[in-house]
Amino acid sequence: MMTLFWLEARLLLGTRLFQVAAVSFVVLAIFAGWQGGQFARSQARAIETARQLETKTDAEARAKAAEIRASNDAVPWWQNPMNVQAWSYAMIRHVALPPKPLAGVAIADADLMPFLFRINPHPPDRWSNQANEVTSSLAAMGGLDLTDVMLTFTPLIVLLAFADLVRERQGTPRAWLALVQSGAQGPLLMKRLMPRAVMCLLIVAYTVSIGILTTGPVFTASTLFGGLAIAFIVLSYACFWLLLLAALIAFMRNAVATFAAFVGLWFVLGILAPQGTEAIARWSAPPPDPLAVFAAERSATVAARMNEDDLTRAYAATDPQAAEMLLQALEEDRLLITPTNLLIQREVERNRAAEVAEENQQKTAFYAAVEALGRASPALLARQSIYRLAGRDRARRRRFEAQVESYHAALQEAFVPLLMRRATLDDVLLPEPFAFTE
Amino acid sequence: MTQVLHVFRHQWADFWRRGIVLAMALSVGLVGIASVLLEWQAWHQEDATRQAMQAQERSQWLALEDTHIHKAAHRGYFVIRDMSVGVVLDRGVWDFGGSAIWLEAHRRNAPLLRAADDAGILARAVPRGVGPVCLWLVPLLIAVLAHGVFASERAQGSLAFAISSGAPPGTLVLGKSLATIALAWAGALLPLGLGMAIALANGQEAAPTAVWLVATLAALVLFAVGTVIVSALCTRPFQALIALLLIWFVFVVVWPRLAADLTGQLLPLPSSQTVRVEAEVASEGLVSDESKDLVRTMLATKGVTSPNSGGVSAMAAEIDAAAAFKRIFAPLEEGKQNQARLLDVLSWLSPIGAADRLGDSVLHLSDHDQAVFEARAEAMRFATQMALNEGWAEQTKSARGDAVLWQKVIDAADKATVQRPPKSLAWGGLVLWGFISVWGLISARSVIARSAV
């Protein structure tokens, strides 16, 4: 048995085409791992820099407040450190989605989505974000990451490893000779399939390990287990293709048909599955139309803007401390950008509350449908599982978005009354930094 | 020529008898036609919504009545990109670029409304539109169905017999190439033609559409010829099949992504946050005396001798802000242009990639067109703000607008134009692969000639 194993292994490894494919596989995995690792490290660095900036500006604001308190001078509102920060859009408060330790394994759509917002108490259109600027073509292609390389190349390696065997099923002299020598086709196939399957799995395991190491992870127990889990997922994926090809070899008598069926299945499960899953999910649980949402938001904003004077008066009636400034500005026809924008944002939120709740419900149902349907394709299932381990999955992003929303709501609750009054505070009101909870 | 036609007829009859023509026509036809119909329906719905949104935006702006001009300047106006019917033929980069920009006083806002943001599963580097679908599927099927065009005959010994019987190798190569090209076109022509007819009927320009069709068909010709060459060079049909599948895999799946990655690594772009925060800071309190003088001179030529100081300051601030934005955004804009050009050149290494990029470009769905949309939006923003503030400067006491001014602002926006960037360089890839194919056919002829020995 061992002799046959080594004979098959030597035959396989001696094939020029297989050598080229295996080396390309490893080289691409190293490139993708390096690229993913570099991307994750650049995100971590940007977050670190943002945190340092935040700490520095907080310290400056506190020092300024201490100086004001010590001098006992009357300070006009616009020089108050809190107001300086909050009134301008320059308040330094960051919210970030930190990369997980194994983030380098997958880029997914992280190159398109913001991971670091500089936010303030103003509406979200006044925030800035650190979404990487990408030319549309680069965005359309996406960063080639280790997940892509492993999931795209694994079926190819399986196919090339078994190419000889598939061809021999068509009845080449070598196949007939081997059959005559062994007496039965089943055991012969098993003896020849097994060594090739083992070699395939070894190459896949080697490549995924090299790839993960190239991403430059910090070695801890969690990264070790995460890495092993990723390797397990990729090996399971390879096993799926091995079993599929074995079944095709067993049931199909024509080499070209076997090949065509394998390539066809790969095309359907690997290439068409994402688009197909998305289309079926959209049909079964339609998400809100982004254009319609955009138009509705815009319409609600314009409607609120048409009533901005009434909104200002209504707010002034509820907040005596703000009333003087707001009503005076109205009287003099002065531009009140910040208070007006806040009032309009609240009015739009109030008017669209029911619609937004429905939209969120539709979105949740759509994502659930995508998740459920995605399990039907081994490629998508493996991809989603690796994304989860690398922290690049959509669910984690949605949790981040929800946490940013609540942090912003808390920020507004504290700052909005002060922004309305232009209060002169004796102290600095600095919100707690944002921390993402997994 | 007669002999070439004879070989062609013989090979075509062989394809037909084995059901290859039917398999090709059915599989590509069904997938292609389904793609055309689905994309057409999606375009029809989205285009109507976009036009309604732009009309809504326009009517909201015109209904500002006597709003304070500075308030109107900060309320802004959304410009929404028209969706070209070309998306039926080739989706290009449409899903990955923002398609609505808020034009606001002294602020350059980022494009919004990117389709990719709302995807459940972000399908990247996959074909959308009938052109890319054919460019993916036809070469794959050609590889699977026609790989044995020479290799099978060689394995059976009939090739050696034909050559030794006096059949000219060049005639065989040409005839079989023509039959393989016909096979490729047999699958693609119906869906491509249907897509083209729908696009033309919905206002797509004829000349660019014809260029797109020629580029797509040319790429299929190149792959079909490549299939014949590989088949002629391989000793066994199975070897030809594996080689062709690997070539397809590299040309269609691996290289376009690798080219994009290499471009990103070689020509990185500055961070958007850095650029936009810099622009935001630069736009605050920007009113130079030089710009004020310039505005006063400009207004004097229009007969406004004692302009409103608020309007003059606002116009000067816009001039200074636009200049600052030009300087600050230049590395980003030039970086994107350079990336697009490098990608055009890198696409030369794959005839499929080159045809795809050329199609994006002629259908106005390329990186260059996204850049034009963003540049035009900035030009519109400047034009609208200047028109608005000019209206303010012309007023002596009040700073409130009226229907005439709001219409003037819309007209100014409509008139704003930008210079188009240079055309895509991707056509070079098709020319390059054309030469390679001719050289390959000549080499294949010699190989075939030797097969009788």
mmCIF file of all heavy atoms in Angstrom, chain A residues 17 108 111-112 126 130-131 135 137 139-140 144 148 278 282 294 298 305 333 394, chain B residues 53 57 75 104 107 114 118-121 124-125 242 257 261 272-273 339 357 367 400:
data_model
loop_
_atom_site.group_PDB
_atom_site.id
_atom_site.type_symbol
_atom_site.label_atom_id
_atom_site.label_comp_id
_atom_site.label_asym_id
_atom_site.label_seq_id
_atom_site.Cartn_x
_atom_site.Cartn_y
_atom_site.Cartn_z
ATOM 1 N N LEU A 17 2.784 20.286 -15.106
ATOM 2 C CA LEU A 17 1.631 21.173 -14.955
ATOM 3 C C LEU A 17 1.227 21.304 -13.485
ATOM 4 O O LEU A 17 0.927 22.402 -13.000
ATOM 5 C CB LEU A 17 0.456 20.600 -15.767
ATOM 6 C CG LEU A 17 -0.625 21.576 -16.154
ATOM 7 C CD1 LEU A 17 -0.073 22.685 -17.023
ATOM 8 C CD2 LEU A 17 -1.742 20.852 -16.872
ATOM 9 N N ALA A 108 -12.174 40.948 2.192
ATOM 10 C CA ALA A 108 -13.633 40.976 1.924
ATOM 11 C C ALA A 108 -14.042 42.351 1.382
ATOM 12 O O ALA A 108 -13.419 42.842 0.455
ATOM 13 C CB ALA A 108 -14.388 40.594 3.179
ATOM 14 N N ASP A 111 -12.267 46.994 2.310
ATOM 15 C CA ASP A 111 -11.608 48.089 1.596
ATOM 16 C C ASP A 111 -12.619 49.100 1.065
ATOM 17 O O ASP A 111 -12.231 50.190 0.632
ATOM 18 C CB ASP A 111 -10.745 47.541 0.447
ATOM 19 C CG ASP A 111 -11.545 46.688 -0.520
ATOM 20 O OD1 ASP A 111 -12.582 46.140 -0.095
ATOM 21 O OD2 ASP A 111 -11.154 46.560 -1.693
ATOM 22 N N LEU A 112 -13.902 48.754 1.108
ATOM 23 C CA LEU A 112 -14.924 49.684 0.618
ATOM 24 C C LEU A 112 -15.646 50.389 1.760
ATOM 25 O O LEU A 112 -16.209 51.454 1.578
ATOM 26 C CB LEU A 112 -15.983 48.928 -0.193
ATOM 27 C CG LEU A 112 -15.560 48.330 -1.523
ATOM 28 C CD1 LEU A 112 -16.748 47.685 -2.200
ATOM 29 C CD2 LEU A 112 -14.992 49.399 -2.429
ATOM 30 N N ARG A 126 -22.053 65.175 8.540
ATOM 31 C CA ARG A 126 -20.956 66.064 8.923
ATOM 32 C C ARG A 126 -19.792 65.279 9.523
ATOM 33 O O ARG A 126 -18.906 65.866 10.146
ATOM 34 C CB ARG A 126 -21.440 67.120 9.942
ATOM 35 C CG ARG A 126 -22.487 68.037 9.380
ATOM 36 C CD ARG A 126 -21.911 68.913 8.290
ATOM 37 N NE ARG A 126 -22.969 69.587 7.556
ATOM 38 C CZ ARG A 126 -22.775 70.253 6.426
ATOM 39 N NH1 ARG A 126 -21.593 70.319 5.885
ATOM 40 N NH2 ARG A 126 -23.771 70.847 5.822
ATOM 41 N N GLN A 130 -12.800 57.092 7.185
ATOM 42 C CA GLN A 130 -11.515 56.680 6.645
ATOM 43 C C GLN A 130 -11.699 55.524 5.658
ATOM 44 O O GLN A 130 -10.887 54.619 5.600
ATOM 45 C CB GLN A 130 -10.603 56.285 7.807
ATOM 46 C CG GLN A 130 -9.216 55.835 7.430
ATOM 47 C CD GLN A 130 -8.152 56.872 7.696
ATOM 48 O OE1 GLN A 130 -8.438 58.033 7.862
ATOM 49 N NE2 GLN A 130 -6.924 56.446 7.749
ATOM 50 N N ALA A 131 -12.801 55.528 4.928
ATOM 51 C CA ALA A 131 -12.931 54.509 3.883
ATOM 52 C C ALA A 131 -11.799 54.761 2.904
ATOM 53 O O ALA A 131 -11.555 55.899 2.533
ATOM 54 C CB ALA A 131 -14.261 54.669 3.173
ATOM 55 N N THR A 135 -10.116 53.555 -6.794
ATOM 56 C CA THR A 135 -10.645 53.746 -8.138
ATOM 57 C C THR A 135 -11.718 52.673 -8.334
ATOM 58 O O THR A 135 -11.557 51.553 -7.852
ATOM 59 C CB THR A 135 -9.493 53.583 -9.147
ATOM 60 O OG1 THR A 135 -8.478 54.494 -8.771
ATOM 61 C CG2 THR A 135 -9.928 53.877 -10.558
ATOM 62 N N SER A 137 -12.609 50.638 -10.574
ATOM 63 C CA SER A 137 -12.201 49.313 -11.080
ATOM 64 C C SER A 137 -11.570 48.480 -9.977
ATOM 65 O O SER A 137 -11.799 47.276 -9.894
ATOM 66 C CB SER A 137 -11.172 49.461 -12.186
ATOM 67 O OG SER A 137 -11.781 49.862 -13.345
ATOM 68 N N ALA A 139 -12.173 48.806 -6.850
ATOM 69 C CA ALA A 139 -13.265 48.429 -5.949
ATOM 70 C C ALA A 139 -14.045 47.256 -6.525
ATOM 71 O O ALA A 139 -14.443 46.342 -5.803
ATOM 72 C CB ALA A 139 -14.189 49.626 -5.748
ATOM 73 N N ALA A 140 -14.251 47.281 -7.841
ATOM 74 C CA ALA A 140 -15.016 46.206 -8.484
ATOM 75 C C ALA A 140 -14.280 44.870 -8.400
ATOM 76 O O ALA A 140 -14.907 43.823 -8.274
ATOM 77 C CB ALA A 140 -15.288 46.564 -9.939
ATOM 78 N N LEU A 144 -7.317 40.897 -3.618
ATOM 79 C CA LEU A 144 -7.146 39.433 -3.649
ATOM 80 C C LEU A 144 -6.613 39.016 -2.284
ATOM 81 O O LEU A 144 -5.484 39.347 -1.928
ATOM 82 C CB LEU A 144 -6.161 39.069 -4.753
ATOM 83 C CG LEU A 144 -6.000 37.582 -5.045
ATOM 84 C CD1 LEU A 144 -7.254 37.022 -5.702
ATOM 85 C CD2 LEU A 144 -4.814 37.341 -5.963
ATOM 86 N N ASP A 148 -9.807 34.273 -0.838
ATOM 87 C CA ASP A 148 -10.078 34.141 -2.276
ATOM 88 C C ASP A 148 -9.157 33.109 -2.907
ATOM 89 O O ASP A 148 -9.600 32.250 -3.666
ATOM 90 C CB ASP A 148 -9.813 35.491 -2.986
ATOM 91 C CG ASP A 148 -10.946 36.448 -2.801
ATOM 92 O OD1 ASP A 148 -12.073 35.982 -2.660
ATOM 93 O OD2 ASP A 148 -10.690 37.663 -2.797
ATOM 94 N N GLU A 278 -27.789 36.113 -3.969
ATOM 95 C CA GLU A 278 -28.256 37.495 -3.779
ATOM 96 C C GLU A 278 -29.609 37.703 -4.494
ATOM 97 O O GLU A 278 -30.533 38.269 -3.924
ATOM 98 C CB GLU A 278 -27.191 38.449 -4.349
ATOM 99 C CG GLU A 278 -27.612 39.888 -4.444
ATOM 100 C CD GLU A 278 -27.139 40.734 -3.291
ATOM 101 O OE1 GLU A 278 -26.245 40.287 -2.563
ATOM 102 O OE2 GLU A 278 -27.678 41.833 -3.099
ATOM 103 N N ARG A 282 -33.112 38.467 -2.700
ATOM 104 C CA ARG A 282 -33.824 39.715 -3.019
ATOM 105 C C ARG A 282 -35.270 39.427 -3.425
ATOM 106 O O ARG A 282 -36.168 40.215 -3.162
ATOM 107 C CB ARG A 282 -33.128 40.456 -4.172
ATOM 108 C CG ARG A 282 -32.002 41.302 -3.702
ATOM 109 C CD ARG A 282 -31.360 42.148 -4.753
ATOM 110 N NE ARG A 282 -30.186 42.767 -4.171
ATOM 111 C CZ ARG A 282 -30.197 43.859 -3.426
ATOM 112 N NH1 ARG A 282 -31.326 44.490 -3.221
ATOM 113 N NH2 ARG A 282 -29.083 44.333 -2.894
ATOM 114 N N PHE A 294 -33.329 56.815 -0.294
ATOM 115 C CA PHE A 294 -32.604 58.072 -0.488
ATOM 116 C C PHE A 294 -33.593 59.195 -0.817
ATOM 117 O O PHE A 294 -33.536 60.284 -0.244
ATOM 118 C CB PHE A 294 -31.601 57.871 -1.632
ATOM 119 C CG PHE A 294 -30.707 59.036 -1.889
ATOM 120 C CD1 PHE A 294 -29.560 59.221 -1.146
ATOM 121 C CD2 PHE A 294 -31.009 59.959 -2.887
ATOM 122 C CE1 PHE A 294 -28.728 60.296 -1.386
ATOM 123 C CE2 PHE A 294 -30.183 61.037 -3.130
ATOM 124 C CZ PHE A 294 -29.033 61.198 -2.379
ATOM 125 N N ARG A 298 -34.492 62.448 1.478
ATOM 126 C CA ARG A 298 -34.280 63.777 0.911
ATOM 127 C C ARG A 298 -35.586 64.580 0.961
ATOM 128 O O ARG A 298 -35.593 65.754 1.314
ATOM 129 C CB ARG A 298 -33.781 63.612 -0.525
ATOM 130 C CG ARG A 298 -33.423 64.880 -1.224
ATOM 131 C CD ARG A 298 -32.224 65.568 -0.623
ATOM 132 N NE ARG A 298 -31.953 66.815 -1.318
ATOM 133 C CZ ARG A 298 -31.488 67.900 -0.743
ATOM 134 N NH1 ARG A 298 -31.216 67.903 0.551
ATOM 135 N NH2 ARG A 298 -31.263 68.995 -1.422
ATOM 136 N N ARG A 305 -37.012 71.319 6.194
ATOM 137 C CA ARG A 305 -36.315 72.600 5.980
ATOM 138 C C ARG A 305 -37.313 73.722 5.654
ATOM 139 O O ARG A 305 -37.085 74.875 6.011
ATOM 140 C CB ARG A 305 -35.311 72.466 4.830
ATOM 141 C CG ARG A 305 -34.007 71.830 5.242
ATOM 142 C CD ARG A 305 -32.876 72.183 4.309
ATOM 143 N NE ARG A 305 -31.628 71.574 4.743
ATOM 144 C CZ ARG A 305 -30.850 72.068 5.689
ATOM 145 N NH1 ARG A 305 -31.179 73.180 6.311
ATOM 146 N NH2 ARG A 305 -29.732 71.455 6.021
ATOM 147 N N ASP A 333 -33.033 87.367 10.866
ATOM 148 C CA ASP A 333 -32.850 86.580 9.636
ATOM 149 C C ASP A 333 -31.397 86.101 9.496
ATOM 150 O O ASP A 333 -30.804 86.135 8.422
ATOM 151 C CB ASP A 333 -33.238 87.438 8.415
ATOM 152 C CG ASP A 333 -33.623 86.550 7.241
ATOM 153 O OD1 ASP A 333 -33.725 85.319 7.442
ATOM 154 O OD2 ASP A 333 -33.799 87.075 6.129
ATOM 155 N N ARG A 394 -20.389 40.539 7.618
ATOM 156 C CA ARG A 394 -21.386 41.606 7.605
ATOM 157 C C ARG A 394 -22.055 41.772 8.976
ATOM 158 O O ARG A 394 -22.406 42.873 9.363
ATOM 159 C CB ARG A 394 -22.462 41.303 6.567
ATOM 160 C CG ARG A 394 -22.054 41.619 5.146
ATOM 161 C CD ARG A 394 -22.182 43.112 4.904
ATOM 162 N NE ARG A 394 -21.492 43.495 3.690
ATOM 163 C CZ ARG A 394 -22.109 43.858 2.562
ATOM 164 N NH1 ARG A 394 -23.407 43.866 2.505
ATOM 165 N NH2 ARG A 394 -21.420 44.233 1.518
ATOM 166 N N MET B 53 -36.080 61.315 -9.171
ATOM 167 C CA MET B 53 -35.370 61.943 -8.044
ATOM 168 C C MET B 53 -34.762 63.278 -8.448
ATOM 169 O O MET B 53 -34.813 64.253 -7.709
ATOM 170 C CB MET B 53 -34.250 61.013 -7.555
ATOM 171 C CG MET B 53 -34.740 59.949 -6.618
ATOM 172 S SD MET B 53 -33.497 58.668 -6.416
ATOM 173 C CE MET B 53 -32.212 59.561 -5.592
ATOM 174 N N GLU B 57 -35.699 66.904 -6.996
ATOM 175 C CA GLU B 57 -34.660 67.801 -6.482
ATOM 176 C C GLU B 57 -34.804 69.189 -7.105
ATOM 177 O O GLU B 57 -34.741 70.209 -6.438
ATOM 178 C CB GLU B 57 -33.301 67.183 -6.813
ATOM 179 C CG GLU B 57 -32.141 67.687 -6.008
ATOM 180 C CD GLU B 57 -32.285 67.408 -4.531
ATOM 181 O OE1 GLU B 57 -32.913 66.391 -4.146
ATOM 182 O OE2 GLU B 57 -31.786 68.222 -3.755
ATOM 183 N N ARG B 75 -28.560 74.749 1.963
ATOM 184 C CA ARG B 75 -29.524 73.667 1.731
ATOM 185 C C ARG B 75 -29.011 72.775 0.611
ATOM 186 O O ARG B 75 -29.182 71.579 0.622
ATOM 187 C CB ARG B 75 -30.876 74.240 1.311
ATOM 188 C CG ARG B 75 -31.672 74.676 2.476
ATOM 189 C CD ARG B 75 -33.042 75.033 2.009
ATOM 190 N NE ARG B 75 -33.768 75.645 3.096
ATOM 191 C CZ ARG B 75 -35.028 75.997 3.017
ATOM 192 N NH1 ARG B 75 -35.689 75.827 1.888
ATOM 193 N NH2 ARG B 75 -35.624 76.531 4.028
ATOM 194 N N GLU B 104 -23.017 71.870 -2.247
ATOM 195 C CA GLU B 104 -23.263 72.719 -1.084
ATOM 196 C C GLU B 104 -22.261 73.863 -1.073
ATOM 197 O O GLU B 104 -21.197 73.764 -1.682
ATOM 198 C CB GLU B 104 -23.055 71.837 0.162
ATOM 199 C CG GLU B 104 -23.588 72.404 1.430
ATOM 200 C CD GLU B 104 -23.114 71.573 2.620
ATOM 201 O OE1 GLU B 104 -22.415 70.571 2.421
ATOM 202 O OE2 GLU B 104 -23.415 71.954 3.747
ATOM 203 N N ARG B 107 -18.096 73.505 0.247
ATOM 204 C CA ARG B 107 -17.846 72.166 0.772
ATOM 205 C C ARG B 107 -17.886 71.187 -0.383
ATOM 206 O O ARG B 107 -18.819 71.212 -1.179
ATOM 207 C CB ARG B 107 -18.933 71.807 1.781
ATOM 208 C CG ARG B 107 -18.436 70.938 2.905
ATOM 209 C CD ARG B 107 -19.580 70.598 3.825
ATOM 210 N NE ARG B 107 -19.302 69.309 4.417
ATOM 211 C CZ ARG B 107 -18.716 69.152 5.587
ATOM 212 N NH1 ARG B 107 -18.356 70.196 6.290
ATOM 213 N NH2 ARG B 107 -18.488 67.948 6.055
ATOM 214 N N ARG B 114 -23.899 54.347 -3.577
ATOM 215 C CA ARG B 114 -23.105 53.345 -4.306
ATOM 216 C C ARG B 114 -23.837 52.014 -4.158
ATOM 217 O O ARG B 114 -24.083 51.562 -3.038
ATOM 218 C CB ARG B 114 -21.721 53.292 -3.656
ATOM 219 C CG ARG B 114 -20.741 52.416 -4.367
ATOM 220 C CD ARG B 114 -19.360 52.565 -3.771
ATOM 221 N NE ARG B 114 -19.309 52.261 -2.350
ATOM 222 C CZ ARG B 114 -18.213 52.247 -1.633
ATOM 223 N NH1 ARG B 114 -17.069 52.564 -2.178
ATOM 224 N NH2 ARG B 114 -18.229 51.948 -0.352
ATOM 225 N N ASP B 118 -25.244 48.249 -0.738
ATOM 226 C CA ASP B 118 -26.500 47.618 -0.344
ATOM 227 C C ASP B 118 -26.582 46.149 -0.730
ATOM 228 O O ASP B 118 -27.654 45.548 -0.653
ATOM 229 C CB ASP B 118 -27.672 48.392 -0.968
ATOM 230 C CG ASP B 118 -27.749 49.790 -0.403
ATOM 231 O OD1 ASP B 118 -28.102 49.924 0.770
ATOM 232 O OD2 ASP B 118 -27.399 50.735 -1.114
ATOM 233 N N ALA B 119 -25.465 45.594 -1.147
ATOM 234 C CA ALA B 119 -25.480 44.182 -1.564
ATOM 235 C C ALA B 119 -25.493 43.270 -0.335
ATOM 236 O O ALA B 119 -24.865 43.580 0.681
ATOM 237 C CB ALA B 119 -24.260 43.887 -2.412
ATOM 238 N N GLY B 120 -26.213 42.176 -0.431
ATOM 239 C CA GLY B 120 -26.202 41.187 0.652
ATOM 240 C C GLY B 120 -24.899 40.412 0.626
ATOM 241 O O GLY B 120 -24.242 40.214 1.634
ATOM 242 N N ILE B 121 -24.532 39.979 -0.564
ATOM 243 C CA ILE B 121 -23.224 39.341 -0.773
ATOM 244 C C ILE B 121 -22.552 40.158 -1.862
ATOM 245 O O ILE B 121 -23.079 40.251 -2.970
ATOM 246 C CB ILE B 121 -23.370 37.892 -1.269
ATOM 247 C CG1 ILE B 121 -24.106 37.061 -0.232
ATOM 248 C CG2 ILE B 121 -22.019 37.275 -1.576
ATOM 249 C CD1 ILE B 121 -24.435 35.670 -0.711
ATOM 250 N N ARG B 124 -17.809 40.466 -6.325
ATOM 251 C CA ARG B 124 -16.792 41.286 -6.990
ATOM 252 C C ARG B 124 -16.055 40.423 -8.004
ATOM 253 O O ARG B 124 -15.959 39.215 -7.841
ATOM 254 C CB ARG B 124 -15.829 41.841 -5.949
ATOM 255 C CG ARG B 124 -16.554 42.725 -4.961
ATOM 256 C CD ARG B 124 -15.706 43.006 -3.764
ATOM 257 N NE ARG B 124 -14.951 44.229 -3.935
ATOM 258 C CZ ARG B 124 -14.204 44.766 -2.964
ATOM 259 N NH1 ARG B 124 -14.105 44.166 -1.800
ATOM 260 N NH2 ARG B 124 -13.552 45.866 -3.165
ATOM 261 N N ALA B 125 -15.534 41.076 -9.013
ATOM 262 C CA ALA B 125 -14.774 40.384 -10.062
ATOM 263 C C ALA B 125 -15.603 39.300 -10.735
ATOM 264 O O ALA B 125 -15.087 38.253 -11.098
ATOM 265 C CB ALA B 125 -13.499 39.794 -9.491
ATOM 266 N N ILE B 242 -6.742 20.733 -20.577
ATOM 267 C CA ILE B 242 -6.187 21.279 -19.328
ATOM 268 C C ILE B 242 -5.474 22.602 -19.593
ATOM 269 O O ILE B 242 -5.649 23.582 -18.864
ATOM 270 C CB ILE B 242 -5.238 20.262 -18.665
ATOM 271 C CG1 ILE B 242 -6.057 19.059 -18.206
ATOM 272 C CG2 ILE B 242 -4.504 20.872 -17.489
ATOM 273 C CD1 ILE B 242 -5.249 17.987 -17.561
ATOM 274 N N ARG B 257 -7.781 40.423 -11.374
ATOM 275 C CA ARG B 257 -7.716 40.744 -9.940
ATOM 276 C C ARG B 257 -6.291 41.089 -9.535
ATOM 277 O O ARG B 257 -6.050 42.018 -8.761
ATOM 278 C CB ARG B 257 -8.219 39.564 -9.100
ATOM 279 C CG ARG B 257 -9.658 39.224 -9.401
ATOM 280 C CD ARG B 257 -10.282 38.477 -8.290
ATOM 281 N NE ARG B 257 -10.422 39.312 -7.112
ATOM 282 C CZ ARG B 257 -10.914 38.900 -5.960
ATOM 283 N NH1 ARG B 257 -11.328 37.663 -5.845
ATOM 284 N NH2 ARG B 257 -11.014 39.702 -4.932
ATOM 285 N N ASP B 261 -4.750 44.523 -7.964
ATOM 286 C CA ASP B 261 -3.942 44.548 -6.740
ATOM 287 C C ASP B 261 -2.595 45.210 -6.974
ATOM 288 O O ASP B 261 -2.135 46.025 -6.172
ATOM 289 C CB ASP B 261 -3.724 43.129 -6.226
ATOM 290 C CG ASP B 261 -4.946 42.618 -5.494
ATOM 291 O OD1 ASP B 261 -5.784 43.452 -5.136
ATOM 292 O OD2 ASP B 261 -5.071 41.408 -5.304
ATOM 293 N N SER B 272 -8.847 59.128 2.151
ATOM 294 C CA SER B 272 -9.927 60.078 1.903
ATOM 295 C C SER B 272 -10.121 60.998 3.095
ATOM 296 O O SER B 272 -10.470 62.155 2.961
ATOM 297 C CB SER B 272 -11.214 59.327 1.606
ATOM 298 O OG SER B 272 -11.646 58.647 2.747
ATOM 299 N N GLN B 273 -9.907 60.427 4.304
ATOM 300 C CA GLN B 273 -10.120 61.251 5.499
ATOM 301 C C GLN B 273 -9.119 62.408 5.518
ATOM 302 O O GLN B 273 -9.484 63.549 5.785
ATOM 303 C CB GLN B 273 -9.966 60.407 6.760
ATOM 304 C CG GLN B 273 -10.492 61.131 7.977
ATOM 305 C CD GLN B 273 -10.618 60.221 9.173
ATOM 306 O OE1 GLN B 273 -9.635 59.611 9.588
ATOM 307 N NE2 GLN B 273 -11.795 60.120 9.723
ATOM 308 N N GLN B 339 -4.159 55.351 -11.872
ATOM 309 C CA GLN B 339 -4.528 53.953 -11.617
ATOM 310 C C GLN B 339 -5.320 53.397 -12.798
ATOM 311 O O GLN B 339 -5.079 52.268 -13.245
ATOM 312 C CB GLN B 339 -5.372 53.856 -10.345
ATOM 313 C CG GLN B 339 -4.558 53.953 -9.075
ATOM 314 C CD GLN B 339 -5.337 53.481 -7.857
ATOM 315 O OE1 GLN B 339 -6.556 53.391 -7.889
ATOM 316 N NE2 GLN B 339 -4.632 53.195 -6.776
ATOM 317 N N ARG B 357 -12.474 46.114 -20.613
ATOM 318 C CA ARG B 357 -12.176 47.508 -20.240
ATOM 319 C C ARG B 357 -12.507 48.468 -21.387
ATOM 320 O O ARG B 357 -12.981 49.569 -21.162
ATOM 321 C CB ARG B 357 -10.714 47.661 -19.825
ATOM 322 C CG ARG B 357 -10.464 47.202 -18.413
ATOM 323 C CD ARG B 357 -9.121 47.627 -17.895
ATOM 324 N NE ARG B 357 -9.030 49.041 -17.572
ATOM 325 C CZ ARG B 357 -9.502 49.602 -16.471
ATOM 326 N NH1 ARG B 357 -10.124 48.875 -15.571
ATOM 327 N NH2 ARG B 357 -9.348 50.890 -16.244
ATOM 328 N N ASP B 367 -13.844 53.931 -15.158
ATOM 329 C CA ASP B 367 -13.279 54.813 -14.124
ATOM 330 C C ASP B 367 -13.236 56.261 -14.606
ATOM 331 O O ASP B 367 -13.490 57.191 -13.853
ATOM 332 C CB ASP B 367 -11.837 54.387 -13.818
ATOM 333 C CG ASP B 367 -11.775 52.992 -13.272
ATOM 334 O OD1 ASP B 367 -12.591 52.669 -12.404
ATOM 335 O OD2 ASP B 367 -10.920 52.219 -13.729
ATOM 336 N N ARG B 400 -32.804 87.913 -0.015
ATOM 337 C CA ARG B 400 -33.721 86.805 -0.271
ATOM 338 C C ARG B 400 -33.833 86.551 -1.772
ATOM 339 O O ARG B 400 -33.779 87.469 -2.565
ATOM 340 C CB ARG B 400 -35.097 87.109 0.313
ATOM 341 C CG ARG B 400 -35.071 87.129 1.830
ATOM 342 C CD ARG B 400 -36.422 87.313 2.461
ATOM 343 N NE ARG B 400 -36.292 87.105 3.898
ATOM 344 C CZ ARG B 400 -36.373 85.922 4.491
ATOM 345 N NH1 ARG B 400 -36.564 84.830 3.787
ATOM 346 N NH2 ARG B 400 -36.250 85.818 5.804
#
